[in-house]
Amino acid sequence: MLELDVVLLPYLEQHSKDFSDSDVQHYQEFLEETDPDLYAWIMGFETPKPEFAELVASIKEFVDKQIK
């Protein structure tokens, strides 16, 4: 889904330098979720799975800063 690429790639480019090995694994697991779920979580249409709540909040904060 192109909309996700526009958000997730820049987020990864900016934050990956700070990722630990476990953060990398967690991000990979996040990306294995379905595109419709990822989109709904990031857009705030649905509540993310608990294990991804902190990551989604970080992504949403990143997006908010980009559009201001």
Side-chain angles (χ1 to χ4, degrees):
M1 184 179 282
L2 179 59
E3 295 86 354
L4 292 174
D5 292 344
V6 171
V7 171
L8 297 178
L9 289 176
Y11 175 84
L12 183 62
E13 288 170 354
Q14 184 170 338
H15 290 86
S16 64
K17 64 185 177 301
D18 300 322
F19 279 7
S20 67
D21 290 342
S22 64
D23 291 335
V24 170
Q25 178 65 32
H26 188 65
Y27 195 79
Q28 289 173 337
E29 291 169 3
F30 175 73
L31 293 178
E32 291 173 7
E33 296 293 322
T34 67
D35 283 355
D37 284 342
L38 295 175
Y39 182 78
W41 298 341
I42 293 168
M43 297 305 295
F45 300 140
E46 294 181 12
T47 302
K49 290 180 179 179
E51 63 266 34
F52 299 125
E54 188 175 323
L55 177 56
V56 170
S58 177
I59 293 168
K60 289 170 75 173
E61 180 180 331
F62 171 78
V63 170
D64 288 345
K65 287 180 182 178
Q66 297 304 308
I67 59 174
K68 288 186 178 179

